[in-house]
Amino acid sequence: MSSPPGLPTLPSVQKISNYVTRSLGQNPGKFTLQGTNTYLIHHPSSPSLILLDTAQSIPSYLPLLRSALLSHSIQPCHLTDIILSHYHHDHTDGLRSVLEELGRLGAVGKGGVRIWKMRCEGGEEETKDREIEEKLRGIEEGLVDVEGLGVQERLVMKGFEGGKIRALRNGQKFVISDGKGDDKEAEKVELEVIHTPGHTSDSISILLRTDSASKTSSESNAPEALFSFDTVLGHGTAVFSSLATYLDSLIALISRLAPSSDSDSNGGPESGALIPIYPGHGVVIEDGVSKLKEYRQHRLDRERQVVEALKNQKSAKLSASSLTDSIYGSSIPESLKPAATRGLLLHLDKLLLDCLVTRHDPVEGELGNKVDWEKLGVSAKDIPQGWDDRWSWKGPD
């Protein structure tokens, strides 16, 4: 499988900064773009490394990870932690094969490999943590640190026991030190976890900071980069499960990257220093703050389009699918209309919470657009729930 046409080609393995190496998951596609980006975090003077995401268990990914590990400046090196950005299979299905590869290489720290993930919450997502854990069943326990964990550190869910995956906390920090001198003098690479739900309930972003001798005291706490995973992509826009939550997360990230910046203004930090975003799919985004603001504005603009379409036919009860036709017209192919409608339904759900719209049952005998989805290569499971529900405006004119 190849990546969608029009996207730039990315190297399978690339050192994108002194502290970050990106390896592609070898799973390109319509939703994964050039493939899932996994990131190896390292310090040039330390044998310890941290891996962000494990891709999709495509066999050709493992030689890339192996190459990145063996190319590290300090040998032998070892992985101390694996941080999973969210439960989606293209980010987590490779976990078992990665652990087994680390065992073969002997690239495991003395305390084992600690695996971390934010807890899923609500609805169908509540079972996802256990599903990931089940995929590790039977793996050699020596690869995973399960000793000495307090109850608060375990990812404990109803129906399963164990501690292979630890629960991440918002604000939690991970540090790789150069090991020189005492802790106050050592140069460090620091990762700070930020809970950014919206894409999924367990989605995180991570700030990367470094404490190098070249930095002034005023710069020492400024992030060097943001790992956005699937909250922001290198191409196009991201999907989300809750619009209101997603918008809150975008605002939170803007405030972390540019504390003095107005979230409605254009451009990046006033200092002029651009903070890049390392996304879960696609190219590095050089101006992270501007991209976050662009994402937020895009969602606000789409909401205005929904509101205007409903206001223009205030007495009518419009289906979500007809709203898609009204807003997108012929700008997208028929095969993408279910995905577009899913996005509009999430906008409508937000407006419903804001008490601005009314939701009505489908009109019997009128089941929306009768399209031969199978002929267009669209699975029935891709047709969003509520496709034929009717909506009307009840807010102010």
Side-chain angles (χ1 to χ4, degrees):
M1 185 182 293
S2 60
S3 58
L7 296 182
T9 300
L10 297 181
S12 289
V13 180
Q14 183 179 17
K15 189 175 181 181
I16 57 177
S17 83
N18 288 334
Y19 310 100
V20 181
T21 296
R22 179 186 62 205
S23 299
L24 291 185
Q26 305 305 296
N27 57 334
K30 181 169 65 173
F31 299 110
T32 54
L33 306 180
Q34 295 97 329
T36 302
N37 292 332
T38 70
Y39 295 98
L40 201 61
I41 312 303
H42 42 74
H43 188 290
S45 300
S46 173
S48 301
L49 303 101
I50 297 172
L51 180 64
L52 309 182
D53 281 339
T54 60
Q56 199 170 335
S57 195
I58 305 299
S60 54
Y61 168 73
L62 292 178
L64 303 178
L65 178 62
R66 185 187 314 129
S67 172
L69 288 167
L70 296 178
S71 297
H72 184 53
S73 55
I74 303 295
Q75 295 292 332
C77 65
H78 54 265
L79 213 65
T80 59
D81 299 271
I82 295 174
I83 302 175
L84 302 175
S85 64
H86 62 295
Y87 73 83
H88 282 163
H89 69 97
D90 56 311
H91 295 260
T92 62
D93 274 6
L95 179 57
R96 184 185 183 103
S97 60
V98 165
L99 289 170
E100 291 171 340
E101 180 68 11
L102 293 173
R104 285 190 289 269
L105 288 173
V108 179
K110 291 181 180 179
V113 182
R114 293 167 297 215
I115 306 165
W116 301 86
K117 184 187 163 298
M118 190 67 68
R119 188 191 300 272
C120 284
E121 296 179 353
E124 296 178 357
E125 294 187 1
E126 287 188 350
T127 64
K128 300 302 181 181
D129 295 311
R130 193 171 87 181
E131 290 173 11
I132 296 171
E133 182 71 25
E134 284 295 319
K135 293 176 183 177
L136 294 181
R137 184 177 295 277
I139 196 169
E140 183 181 350
E141 294 289 326
L143 290 178
V144 186
D145 178 14
V146 296
E147 299 298 325
L149 300 185
V151 173
Q152 298 302 317
E153 293 178 287
R154 292 178 184 265
L155 185 59
V156 178
M157 298 192 62
K158 185 177 181 180
F160 99 81
E161 297 180 358
K164 295 191 183 79
I165 298 179
R166 297 185 177 197
L168 277 174
R169 303 182 303 276
N170 186 46
Q172 187 170 347
K173 295 180 179 180
F174 296 80
V175 175
I176 300 176
S177 172
D178 65 1
K180 298 176 182 178
D182 59 32
D183 287 343
K184 292 182 179 180
E185 296 179 355
E187 293 184 0
K188 301 173 183 177
V189 179
E190 179 185 276
L191 301 177
E192 181 183 353
V193 175
I194 307 172
H195 187 203
T196 48
H199 175 65
T200 57
S201 66
D202 61 333
S203 286
I204 62 167
S205 299
I206 295 179
L207 288 173
L208 169 70
R209 296 189 182 91
T210 61
D211 184 15
S212 63
S214 62
K215 280 192 171 184
T216 66
S217 58
S218 62
E219 295 174 329
S220 60
N221 199 44
E224 290 211 0
L226 172 74
F227 297 94
S228 65
F229 304 105
D230 284 9
T231 296
V232 175
L233 304 180
H235 314 277
T237 56
V239 299
F240 45 89
S241 57
S242 167
L243 176 58
T245 306
Y246 181 68
L247 287 172
D248 287 344
S249 290
L250 291 177
I251 293 171
L253 289 177
I254 292 170
S255 69
R256 295 302 301 271
L257 264 62
S260 61
S261 175
D262 180 353
S263 63
D264 290 318
S265 66
N266 295 319
E270 294 179 3
S271 65
L274 299 182
I275 300 172
I277 285 177
Y278 300 153
H281 304 273
V283 299
V284 172
I285 301 163
E286 298 298 337
D287 187 349
V289 173
S290 291
K291 180 57 70 173
L292 287 165
K293 291 179 177 180
E294 177 188 317
Y295 259 53
R296 178 173 178 266
Q297 190 61 48
H298 174 71
R299 285 297 142 208
L300 294 176
D301 289 344
R302 185 68 75 208
E303 181 173 300
R304 289 191 196 99
Q305 289 179 307
V306 173
V307 169
E308 289 171 4
L310 290 171
K311 280 185 174 181
N312 287 339
Q313 301 189 51
K314 188 172 182 180
S315 61
K317 297 176 182 179
L318 300 179
S319 69
S321 57
S322 65
L323 279 172
T324 303
D325 291 333
S326 173
I327 291 171
Y328 287 91
S330 60
S331 65
I332 60 173
E334 286 286 323
S335 61
L336 291 182
K337 285 188 176 178
T341 303
R342 178 187 176 278
L344 291 186
L345 281 165
L346 290 167
H347 280 277
L348 289 163
D349 284 342
K350 177 180 178 294
L351 293 170
L352 186 65
L353 289 173
D354 294 339
C355 298
L356 295 174
V357 299
T358 301
R359 187 172 198 157
H360 310 273
D361 291 334
V363 177
E364 188 175 352
E366 285 185 34
L367 296 179
N369 299 339
K370 292 181 171 61
V371 178
D372 187 349
W373 295 114
E374 186 175 347
K375 187 176 180 180
L376 293 171
V378 177
S379 169
K381 66 180 177 59
D382 293 327
I383 307 302
Q385 185 176 1
W387 170 270
D388 289 299
D389 287 356
R390 297 310 200 250
W391 299 83
S392 62
W393 179 254
K394 71 171 185 179
D397 292 333

mmCIF file of all heavy atoms in Angstrom, residues 45-70:
data_model
loop_
_atom_site.group_PDB
_atom_site.id
_atom_site.type_symbol
_atom_site.label_atom_id
_atom_site.label_comp_id
_atom_site.label_asym_id
_atom_site.label_seq_id
_atom_site.Cartn_x
_atom_site.Cartn_y
_atom_site.Cartn_z
ATOM 1 N N SER A 45 24.643 11.951 25.029
ATOM 2 C CA SER A 45 25.594 11.456 26.031
ATOM 3 C C SER A 45 24.988 10.446 26.993
ATOM 4 O O SER A 45 25.567 10.147 28.038
ATOM 5 C CB SER A 45 26.173 12.638 26.832
ATOM 6 O OG SER A 45 26.837 13.548 25.990
ATOM 7 N N SER A 46 23.797 9.920 26.649
ATOM 8 C CA SER A 46 23.140 8.958 27.537
ATOM 9 C C SER A 46 22.756 7.700 26.770
ATOM 10 O O SER A 46 22.300 7.784 25.625
ATOM 11 C CB SER A 46 21.887 9.578 28.153
ATOM 12 O OG SER A 46 21.147 8.608 28.879
ATOM 13 N N PRO A 47 22.893 6.515 27.390
ATOM 14 C CA PRO A 47 22.466 5.280 26.732
ATOM 15 C C PRO A 47 20.961 5.034 26.832
ATOM 16 O O PRO A 47 20.435 4.108 26.218
ATOM 17 C CB PRO A 47 23.229 4.200 27.497
ATOM 18 C CG PRO A 47 23.378 4.771 28.880
ATOM 19 C CD PRO A 47 23.555 6.255 28.686
ATOM 20 N N SER A 48 20.244 5.856 27.602
ATOM 21 C CA SER A 48 18.814 5.649 27.826
ATOM 22 C C SER A 48 17.992 6.343 26.746
ATOM 23 O O SER A 48 18.287 7.471 26.349
ATOM 24 C CB SER A 48 18.406 6.188 29.198
ATOM 25 O OG SER A 48 19.126 5.544 30.227
ATOM 26 N N LEU A 49 16.935 5.665 26.288
ATOM 27 C CA LEU A 49 16.066 6.212 25.259
ATOM 28 C C LEU A 49 14.604 5.988 25.631
ATOM 29 O O LEU A 49 14.284 5.087 26.419
ATOM 30 C CB LEU A 49 16.342 5.565 23.896
ATOM 31 C CG LEU A 49 17.773 5.655 23.367
ATOM 32 C CD1 LEU A 49 18.487 4.327 23.596
ATOM 33 C CD2 LEU A 49 17.803 6.010 21.891
ATOM 34 N N ILE A 50 13.729 6.787 25.037
ATOM 35 C CA ILE A 50 12.289 6.682 25.235
ATOM 36 C C ILE A 50 11.638 6.596 23.861
ATOM 37 O O ILE A 50 12.005 7.332 22.944
ATOM 38 C CB ILE A 50 11.738 7.897 26.011
ATOM 39 C CG1 ILE A 50 12.341 7.946 27.418
ATOM 40 C CG2 ILE A 50 10.211 7.847 26.086
ATOM 41 C CD1 ILE A 50 12.001 9.217 28.192
ATOM 42 N N LEU A 51 10.664 5.692 23.704
ATOM 43 C CA LEU A 51 9.953 5.531 22.434
ATOM 44 C C LEU A 51 8.529 6.049 22.568
ATOM 45 O O LEU A 51 7.822 5.701 23.516
ATOM 46 C CB LEU A 51 9.922 4.058 22.031
ATOM 47 C CG LEU A 51 9.201 3.721 20.719
ATOM 48 C CD1 LEU A 51 9.912 4.354 19.523
ATOM 49 C CD2 LEU A 51 9.094 2.205 20.532
ATOM 50 N N LEU A 52 8.115 6.882 21.627
ATOM 51 C CA LEU A 52 6.744 7.385 21.565
ATOM 52 C C LEU A 52 6.002 6.648 20.464
ATOM 53 O O LEU A 52 6.310 6.801 19.282
ATOM 54 C CB LEU A 52 6.737 8.892 21.288
ATOM 55 C CG LEU A 52 7.621 9.775 22.183
ATOM 56 C CD1 LEU A 52 7.450 11.241 21.812
ATOM 57 C CD2 LEU A 52 7.324 9.548 23.659
ATOM 58 N N ASP A 53 5.051 5.812 20.842
ATOM 59 C CA ASP A 53 4.217 4.986 19.960
ATOM 60 C C ASP A 53 5.005 3.830 19.326
ATOM 61 O O ASP A 53 6.232 3.882 19.213
ATOM 62 C CB ASP A 53 3.508 5.814 18.896
ATOM 63 C CG ASP A 53 2.281 6.534 19.445
ATOM 64 O OD1 ASP A 53 1.765 6.106 20.493
ATOM 65 O OD2 ASP A 53 1.831 7.520 18.825
ATOM 66 N N THR A 54 4.249 2.794 18.941
ATOM 67 C CA THR A 54 4.874 1.563 18.441
ATOM 68 C C THR A 54 4.334 1.145 17.082
ATOM 69 O O THR A 54 4.586 0.019 16.636
ATOM 70 C CB THR A 54 4.661 0.415 19.447
ATOM 71 O OG1 THR A 54 3.244 0.197 19.626
ATOM 72 C CG2 THR A 54 5.305 0.721 20.794
ATOM 73 N N ALA A 55 3.575 2.020 16.423
ATOM 74 C CA ALA A 55 3.049 1.760 15.077
ATOM 75 C C ALA A 55 2.107 0.559 15.069
ATOM 76 O O ALA A 55 1.474 0.247 16.080
ATOM 77 C CB ALA A 55 4.168 1.628 14.060
ATOM 78 N N GLN A 56 2.040 -0.176 13.936
ATOM 79 C CA GLN A 56 0.919 -1.078 13.674
ATOM 80 C C GLN A 56 1.316 -2.542 13.530
ATOM 81 O O GLN A 56 0.566 -3.328 12.983
ATOM 82 C CB GLN A 56 0.201 -0.596 12.405
ATOM 83 C CG GLN A 56 -1.208 -1.123 12.233
ATOM 84 C CD GLN A 56 -1.927 -0.412 11.107
ATOM 85 O OE1 GLN A 56 -1.618 0.713 10.760
ATOM 86 N NE2 GLN A 56 -2.907 -1.076 10.525
ATOM 87 N N SER A 57 2.475 -2.905 13.954
ATOM 88 C CA SER A 57 2.945 -4.293 13.864
ATOM 89 C C SER A 57 3.158 -4.741 12.422
ATOM 90 O O SER A 57 2.897 -5.890 12.080
ATOM 91 C CB SER A 57 1.977 -5.257 14.574
ATOM 92 O OG SER A 57 2.590 -6.516 14.790
ATOM 93 N N ILE A 58 3.653 -3.848 11.588
ATOM 94 C CA ILE A 58 4.080 -4.211 10.240
ATOM 95 C C ILE A 58 5.515 -4.713 10.353
ATOM 96 O O ILE A 58 6.379 -4.004 10.870
ATOM 97 C CB ILE A 58 4.012 -2.993 9.290
ATOM 98 C CG1 ILE A 58 2.603 -2.375 9.296
ATOM 99 C CG2 ILE A 58 4.435 -3.387 7.879
ATOM 100 C CD1 ILE A 58 1.510 -3.296 8.834
ATOM 101 N N PRO A 59 5.799 -5.944 9.907
ATOM 102 C CA PRO A 59 7.139 -6.525 10.122
ATOM 103 C C PRO A 59 8.291 -5.645 9.636
ATOM 104 O O PRO A 59 9.357 -5.616 10.269
ATOM 105 C CB PRO A 59 7.078 -7.839 9.338
ATOM 106 C CG PRO A 59 5.628 -8.204 9.354
ATOM 107 C CD PRO A 59 4.881 -6.905 9.266
ATOM 108 N N SER A 60 8.097 -4.890 8.552
ATOM 109 C CA SER A 60 9.190 -4.081 8.010
ATOM 110 C C SER A 60 9.514 -2.872 8.883
ATOM 111 O O SER A 60 10.514 -2.175 8.638
ATOM 112 C CB SER A 60 8.857 -3.619 6.592
ATOM 113 O OG SER A 60 7.605 -2.961 6.544
ATOM 114 N N TYR A 61 8.710 -2.616 9.919
ATOM 115 C CA TYR A 61 9.011 -1.511 10.834
ATOM 116 C C TYR A 61 10.149 -1.860 11.782
ATOM 117 O O TYR A 61 10.979 -1.006 12.116
ATOM 118 C CB TYR A 61 7.763 -1.147 11.640
ATOM 119 C CG TYR A 61 8.033 -0.221 12.805
ATOM 120 C CD1 TYR A 61 8.331 1.122 12.599
ATOM 121 C CD2 TYR A 61 8.000 -0.691 14.120
ATOM 122 C CE1 TYR A 61 8.582 1.976 13.671
ATOM 123 C CE2 TYR A 61 8.245 0.146 15.190
ATOM 124 C CZ TYR A 61 8.540 1.480 14.957
ATOM 125 O OH TYR A 61 8.796 2.321 16.008
ATOM 126 N N LEU A 62 10.221 -3.105 12.215
ATOM 127 C CA LEU A 62 11.203 -3.491 13.229
ATOM 128 C C LEU A 62 12.647 -3.242 12.796
ATOM 129 O O LEU A 62 13.456 -2.751 13.600
ATOM 130 C CB LEU A 62 11.002 -4.951 13.639
ATOM 131 C CG LEU A 62 9.702 -5.238 14.397
ATOM 132 C CD1 LEU A 62 9.588 -6.718 14.713
ATOM 133 C CD2 LEU A 62 9.609 -4.408 15.677
ATOM 134 N N PRO A 63 13.048 -3.556 11.549
ATOM 135 C CA PRO A 63 14.423 -3.232 11.151
ATOM 136 C C PRO A 63 14.729 -1.736 11.224
ATOM 137 O O PRO A 63 15.868 -1.345 11.486
ATOM 138 C CB PRO A 63 14.495 -3.740 9.705
ATOM 139 C CG PRO A 63 13.453 -4.798 9.623
ATOM 140 C CD PRO A 63 12.341 -4.328 10.521
ATOM 141 N N LEU A 64 13.710 -0.901 11.011
ATOM 142 C CA LEU A 64 13.912 0.545 11.095
ATOM 143 C C LEU A 64 14.170 0.963 12.535
ATOM 144 O O LEU A 64 15.065 1.768 12.811
ATOM 145 C CB LEU A 64 12.695 1.286 10.547
ATOM 146 C CG LEU A 64 12.283 0.968 9.117
ATOM 147 C CD1 LEU A 64 11.036 1.759 8.743
ATOM 148 C CD2 LEU A 64 13.410 1.267 8.151
ATOM 149 N N LEU A 65 13.381 0.424 13.454
ATOM 150 C CA LEU A 65 13.587 0.730 14.868
ATOM 151 C C LEU A 65 14.949 0.220 15.318
ATOM 152 O O LEU A 65 15.680 0.914 16.035
ATOM 153 C CB LEU A 65 12.470 0.095 15.702
ATOM 154 C CG LEU A 65 12.583 0.301 17.215
ATOM 155 C CD1 LEU A 65 12.518 1.771 17.573
ATOM 156 C CD2 LEU A 65 11.483 -0.476 17.934
ATOM 157 N N ARG A 66 15.289 -0.991 14.880
ATOM 158 C CA ARG A 66 16.592 -1.560 15.228
ATOM 159 C C ARG A 66 17.731 -0.664 14.735
ATOM 160 O O ARG A 66 18.689 -0.377 15.451
ATOM 161 C CB ARG A 66 16.720 -2.957 14.627
ATOM 162 C CG ARG A 66 17.997 -3.693 15.038
ATOM 163 C CD ARG A 66 18.138 -5.002 14.279
ATOM 164 N NE ARG A 66 16.888 -5.755 14.273
ATOM 165 C CZ ARG A 66 16.324 -6.233 13.181
ATOM 166 N NH1 ARG A 66 16.873 -6.041 11.991
ATOM 167 N NH2 ARG A 66 15.194 -6.921 13.277
ATOM 168 N N SER A 67 17.605 -0.181 13.494
ATOM 169 C CA SER A 67 18.621 0.697 12.924
ATOM 170 C C SER A 67 18.760 1.981 13.736
ATOM 171 O O SER A 67 19.881 2.455 13.997
ATOM 172 C CB SER A 67 18.266 1.025 11.471
ATOM 173 O OG SER A 67 19.124 2.002 10.935
ATOM 174 N N ALA A 68 17.620 2.544 14.138
ATOM 175 C CA ALA A 68 17.658 3.777 14.920
ATOM 176 C C ALA A 68 18.327 3.548 16.271
ATOM 177 O O ALA A 68 19.120 4.375 16.742
ATOM 178 C CB ALA A 68 16.240 4.309 15.110
ATOM 179 N N LEU A 69 18.053 2.411 16.898
ATOM 180 C CA LEU A 69 18.669 2.097 18.187
ATOM 181 C C LEU A 69 20.178 1.894 18.043
ATOM 182 O O LEU A 69 20.970 2.425 18.827
ATOM 183 C CB LEU A 69 18.025 0.841 18.776
ATOM 184 C CG LEU A 69 16.591 0.982 19.298
ATOM 185 C CD1 LEU A 69 15.975 -0.385 19.542
ATOM 186 C CD2 LEU A 69 16.559 1.817 20.570
ATOM 187 N N LEU A 70 20.567 1.149 17.026
ATOM 188 C CA LEU A 70 21.985 0.843 16.846
ATOM 189 C C LEU A 70 22.778 2.034 16.335
ATOM 190 O O LEU A 70 24.017 2.032 16.390
ATOM 191 C CB LEU A 70 22.143 -0.345 15.890
ATOM 192 C CG LEU A 70 21.559 -1.676 16.399
ATOM 193 C CD1 LEU A 70 21.726 -2.774 15.357
ATOM 194 C CD2 LEU A 70 22.209 -2.077 17.720
#
